[in-house]
Amino acid sequence: MYTSSPATASAPVVREPRYAPVAHLVRGGVVEGVHYGSVVVLGADGGVRLGLGDIEAAFYPRSALKPLQAVAMLRAGLPLDGALLSLAAASHSGEERHLDGARRILELAGLVEDDLRNVPDMPYGPAVRDAWVRAGRGPSRLAQNCSGKHAAMLWTARLNGWSLPDYLDPAHPLQRAVADTVEELTGQPVARVTVDGCGAPLFSVSLHGLARAAARLTTAAPGTPEARVADAMREHADMASGAGRDVAELMRAVPGLLAKDGFEGVQVAALPDGRAVAVKIADGANRARIPVAAAALAQAGVDPALLTKFEGEPLLGGGEPVGRVRPVPALDPAPQPACA
């Protein structure tokens, strides 16, 4: 069982992160490029088993914070479970099931799409977006990948008698409750507050704190808000992301794993016994996020055989594989030469 450490005395330091190499682009046996970033691996006791880069500097977890936002809403009385709760913590692809789910949350709240304050956008999933464009459809608030979260935020505000038009204001009671939950679960004060891409407040913590929070969700007692969010996302992985998305495939591949991605190369994942990993790719490259996270999970003790499909996309030459994105040897359970 994961044992949390006490809250730190101060917020994470705001500084230029001291990133380290975390992935190599190996083409024909030569390192063609290097992705820098930070990686933390926690053991079941909460101790740091591996740390690369700057795991204590303040950073923005982006959508990897959504499970914590969902916990805050449940604590405030949001009566969701199952697929709709997974959607409330989702960065969804904009499939019809996602749009239907967001509409259903709004209906339960007695609200409509126009009440949403997230930024209108096209669907996030490439295939869904292409079909959307072919059909002549434009950006919408419902199609934007955070619409489930925003619909749930509105319902939470309505249930508590809080004002609706300003539900994204950091001073709003809902957002103060979210900030309190983020600080409690990460075990540290928020360093900075800004605005996420969707318009919601975004709280800066450390990578270490993010991993600690994920572990608290997966080790929480059954029926608690933390456990309900973890259960919903694991049982309805495609509602938390979308068909064919790597984060959903990762949860299906590793029994009991909770995983959430975030823009700018963020990934967090935790196992039921409290082992957890968190990754930040410095340049935001998506191609490095999952192979580095998979390598971190292997460092945490996950059977590498479960992770082979997440080892890194191939680099092509003349249409044929001539290399791949590979985590650095420090993340390899059996270290190899850098250009192997």
Side-chain angles (χ1 to χ4, degrees):
M1 177 65 71
Y2 176 84
T3 302
S4 64
S5 60
T8 56
S10 59
V13 178
V14 177
R15 64 185 175 216
E16 181 177 347
R18 301 161 185 165
Y19 291 127
V22 295
H24 291 150
L25 281 66
V26 182
R27 182 184 296 270
V30 173
V31 175
E32 183 177 37
V34 180
H35 288 295
Y36 284 72
S38 299
V39 180
V40 62
V41 178
L42 302 184
D45 62 354
V48 176
R49 292 180 54 172
L50 181 144
L52 290 179
D54 199 343
I55 68 171
E56 303 296 353
F59 90 118
Y60 290 117
R62 303 297 300 269
S63 286
L65 272 184
K66 284 178 178 173
L68 281 63
Q69 293 169 314
V71 169
M73 288 187 275
L74 292 184
R75 289 178 173 182
L78 181 68
L80 285 180
D81 280 298
L84 292 184
L85 177 54
S86 184
L87 183 64
S91 299
H92 65 71
S93 291
E95 300 162 17
E96 285 303 322
R97 58 180 160 179
H98 300 134
L99 275 60
D100 289 344
R103 288 191 194 97
R104 179 58 181 157
I105 295 172
L106 289 170
E107 289 170 0
L108 290 167
L111 300 169
V112 295
E113 182 176 354
D114 285 345
D115 292 305
L116 295 170
R117 292 291 179 268
N118 58 316
V119 177
D121 201 355
M122 308 293 278
Y124 177 67
V128 184
R129 183 171 59 249
D130 290 347
W132 190 277
V133 171
R134 287 195 300 271
R137 303 170 77 176
S140 80
R141 297 186 192 276
L142 210 60
Q144 196 269 337
N145 77 91
C146 304
S147 63
K149 176 184 77 175
H150 281 257
M153 284 182 168
L154 279 168
W155 194 11
T156 304
R158 168 150 283 189
L159 287 167
N160 285 276
W162 297 330
S163 58
L164 301 184
D166 62 340
Y167 75 94
L168 296 181
D169 187 327
H172 191 280
L174 170 64
Q175 302 304 338
R176 292 203 305 267
V178 171
D180 289 345
T181 298
V182 168
E183 291 189 335
E184 177 192 334
L185 295 177
T186 61
Q188 57 194 185
V190 167
R192 294 282 174 88
V193 181
T194 188
V195 182
D196 209 342
C198 65
L202 178 60
F203 305 103
S204 180
V205 295
S206 72
L207 197 68
H208 187 181
L210 180 65
R212 185 161 50 224
R216 287 177 172 170
L217 266 62
T218 56
T219 60
T224 60
E226 296 91 331
R228 287 166 59 192
V229 170
D231 289 345
M233 293 179 68
R234 289 180 293 206
E235 292 169 13
H236 303 276
D238 283 343
M239 284 296 278
S241 54
R245 293 267 296 278
D246 52 32
V247 69
E249 294 296 329
L250 189 62
M251 283 194 277
R252 278 192 284 266
V254 181
L257 185 72
L258 171 68
K260 183 70 186 77
D261 53 348
F263 279 165
E264 297 302 323
V266 180
Q267 183 69 54
V268 66
L271 292 153
D273 64 359
R275 288 174 291 159
V277 307
V279 170
K280 164 63 180 173
I281 305 300
D283 61 3
N286 210 40
R287 66 181 175 184
R289 171 181 54 83
I290 278 289
V292 171
L297 285 168
Q299 287 280 344
V302 173
D303 183 354
L306 300 175
L307 302 167
T308 53
K309 69 181 295 185
F310 308 104
E311 289 180 341
E313 65 183 59
L315 302 181
L316 303 181
E320 297 296 326
V322 294
R324 67 183 177 96
V325 178
R326 190 175 74 77
V328 295
L331 285 168
D332 196 327
Q336 303 173 11
C339 298

Short mmCIF file of all heavy atoms in Angstrom, two decimals, residues 13-21 36-39 52-58 282:
data_model
loop_
_atom_site.label_atom_id
_atom_site.label_comp_id
_atom_site.label_asym_id
_atom_site.label_seq_id
_atom_site.Cartn_x
_atom_site.Cartn_y
_atom_site.Cartn_z
N VAL A 13 9.82 24.76 -6.87
CA VAL A 13 10.58 25.92 -7.32
C VAL A 13 10.28 26.21 -8.79
O VAL A 13 10.29 25.30 -9.63
CB VAL A 13 12.09 25.69 -7.14
CG1 VAL A 13 12.90 26.88 -7.66
CG2 VAL A 13 12.41 25.43 -5.68
N VAL A 14 10.00 27.47 -9.10
CA VAL A 14 9.80 27.89 -10.48
C VAL A 14 11.17 28.26 -11.04
O VAL A 14 11.80 29.23 -10.61
CB VAL A 14 8.85 29.10 -10.56
CG1 VAL A 14 8.71 29.57 -12.01
CG2 VAL A 14 7.48 28.74 -9.98
N ARG A 15 11.66 27.45 -11.98
CA ARG A 15 12.98 27.67 -12.57
C ARG A 15 13.01 27.01 -13.94
O ARG A 15 12.10 26.25 -14.31
CB ARG A 15 14.06 27.05 -11.69
CG ARG A 15 13.97 25.53 -11.56
CD ARG A 15 14.99 24.97 -10.60
NE ARG A 15 14.82 23.54 -10.40
CZ ARG A 15 15.02 22.91 -9.25
NH1 ARG A 15 15.38 23.59 -8.17
NH2 ARG A 15 14.84 21.60 -9.15
N GLU A 16 14.04 27.30 -14.70
CA GLU A 16 14.23 26.56 -15.95
C GLU A 16 14.56 25.13 -15.58
O GLU A 16 15.56 24.87 -14.88
CB GLU A 16 15.37 27.17 -16.77
CG GLU A 16 15.59 26.44 -18.08
CD GLU A 16 16.67 27.09 -18.93
OE1 GLU A 16 17.07 28.23 -18.62
OE2 GLU A 16 17.10 26.43 -19.90
N PRO A 17 13.74 24.16 -16.01
CA PRO A 17 13.97 22.77 -15.58
C PRO A 17 15.32 22.24 -16.03
O PRO A 17 15.80 22.56 -17.12
CB PRO A 17 12.82 22.01 -16.27
CG PRO A 17 11.78 23.05 -16.54
CD PRO A 17 12.54 24.30 -16.84
N ARG A 18 15.91 21.44 -15.18
CA ARG A 18 17.21 20.84 -15.46
C ARG A 18 16.98 19.48 -16.13
O ARG A 18 17.20 18.42 -15.54
CB ARG A 18 18.00 20.70 -14.16
CG ARG A 18 18.23 22.05 -13.47
CD ARG A 18 18.57 21.92 -12.01
NE ARG A 18 18.67 23.22 -11.35
CZ ARG A 18 18.67 23.40 -10.03
NH1 ARG A 18 18.59 22.35 -9.21
NH2 ARG A 18 18.77 24.62 -9.53
N TYR A 19 16.54 19.55 -17.38
CA TYR A 19 16.20 18.33 -18.10
C TYR A 19 17.44 17.49 -18.41
O TYR A 19 18.56 17.99 -18.49
CB TYR A 19 15.50 18.68 -19.41
CG TYR A 19 14.11 19.27 -19.25
CD1 TYR A 19 13.78 20.49 -19.85
CD2 TYR A 19 13.14 18.61 -18.51
CE1 TYR A 19 12.51 21.02 -19.72
CE2 TYR A 19 11.86 19.14 -18.37
CZ TYR A 19 11.56 20.35 -18.97
OH TYR A 19 10.30 20.88 -18.85
N ALA A 20 17.18 16.20 -18.61
CA ALA A 20 18.23 15.24 -18.98
C ALA A 20 17.77 14.48 -20.22
O ALA A 20 16.58 14.43 -20.52
CB ALA A 20 18.47 14.26 -17.83
N PRO A 21 18.70 13.88 -20.97
CA PRO A 21 18.28 13.04 -22.10
C PRO A 21 17.39 11.89 -21.62
O PRO A 21 17.73 11.22 -20.63
CB PRO A 21 19.60 12.52 -22.66
CG PRO A 21 20.62 13.52 -22.22
CD PRO A 21 20.16 13.98 -20.87
N TYR A 36 15.00 15.52 -24.59
CA TYR A 36 15.27 15.76 -23.17
C TYR A 36 13.96 15.77 -22.39
O TYR A 36 12.88 15.94 -22.97
CB TYR A 36 16.00 17.09 -23.00
CG TYR A 36 17.46 17.04 -23.38
CD1 TYR A 36 17.84 16.97 -24.72
CD2 TYR A 36 18.46 17.06 -22.42
CE1 TYR A 36 19.18 16.91 -25.09
CE2 TYR A 36 19.80 17.01 -22.77
CZ TYR A 36 20.15 16.94 -24.10
OH TYR A 36 21.48 16.87 -24.45
N GLY A 37 14.08 15.58 -21.09
CA GLY A 37 12.88 15.62 -20.26
C GLY A 37 13.20 15.21 -18.85
O GLY A 37 14.35 15.23 -18.41
N SER A 38 12.16 14.83 -18.13
CA SER A 38 12.28 14.36 -16.75
C SER A 38 11.40 13.13 -16.56
O SER A 38 10.34 13.02 -17.18
CB SER A 38 11.85 15.46 -15.76
OG SER A 38 12.67 16.60 -15.89
N VAL A 39 11.86 12.22 -15.71
CA VAL A 39 11.14 10.98 -15.43
C VAL A 39 11.27 10.68 -13.95
O VAL A 39 12.37 10.78 -13.39
CB VAL A 39 11.73 9.79 -16.23
CG1 VAL A 39 10.96 8.50 -15.92
CG2 VAL A 39 11.71 10.06 -17.72
N LEU A 52 15.15 11.06 -13.26
CA LEU A 52 15.98 11.64 -14.30
C LEU A 52 15.51 13.07 -14.54
O LEU A 52 14.32 13.36 -14.48
CB LEU A 52 15.87 10.85 -15.61
CG LEU A 52 16.50 9.46 -15.68
CD1 LEU A 52 16.24 8.85 -17.05
CD2 LEU A 52 17.98 9.52 -15.41
N GLY A 53 16.45 13.95 -14.85
CA GLY A 53 16.06 15.32 -15.11
C GLY A 53 15.70 16.05 -13.83
O GLY A 53 16.34 15.86 -12.79
N ASP A 54 14.65 16.85 -13.90
CA ASP A 54 14.27 17.72 -12.78
C ASP A 54 12.87 17.37 -12.32
O ASP A 54 11.88 17.91 -12.80
CB ASP A 54 14.34 19.18 -13.24
CG ASP A 54 14.43 20.15 -12.08
OD1 ASP A 54 14.11 19.75 -10.94
OD2 ASP A 54 14.81 21.31 -12.32
N ILE A 55 12.77 16.44 -11.37
CA ILE A 55 11.46 15.96 -10.94
C ILE A 55 10.82 16.84 -9.88
O ILE A 55 9.66 16.63 -9.52
CB ILE A 55 11.53 14.51 -10.43
CG1 ILE A 55 12.32 14.41 -9.12
CG2 ILE A 55 12.13 13.61 -11.51
CD1 ILE A 55 12.25 13.03 -8.48
N GLU A 56 11.55 17.85 -9.38
CA GLU A 56 11.02 18.70 -8.32
C GLU A 56 10.68 20.11 -8.79
O GLU A 56 10.06 20.87 -8.05
CB GLU A 56 12.02 18.78 -7.15
CG GLU A 56 12.40 17.43 -6.55
CD GLU A 56 11.24 16.68 -5.90
OE1 GLU A 56 10.14 17.24 -5.79
OE2 GLU A 56 11.45 15.52 -5.51
N ALA A 57 11.07 20.50 -9.99
CA ALA A 57 10.76 21.84 -10.49
C ALA A 57 9.27 21.96 -10.79
O ALA A 57 8.60 20.98 -11.12
CB ALA A 57 11.57 22.13 -11.76
N ALA A 58 8.76 23.17 -10.70
CA ALA A 58 7.36 23.42 -11.06
C ALA A 58 7.17 23.22 -12.57
O ALA A 58 8.02 23.62 -13.37
CB ALA A 58 6.98 24.84 -10.67
N ALA A 282 10.62 17.41 -22.72
CA ALA A 282 10.88 18.85 -22.72
C ALA A 282 10.33 19.56 -23.94
O ALA A 282 9.75 20.66 -23.83
CB ALA A 282 12.40 19.10 -22.60
#
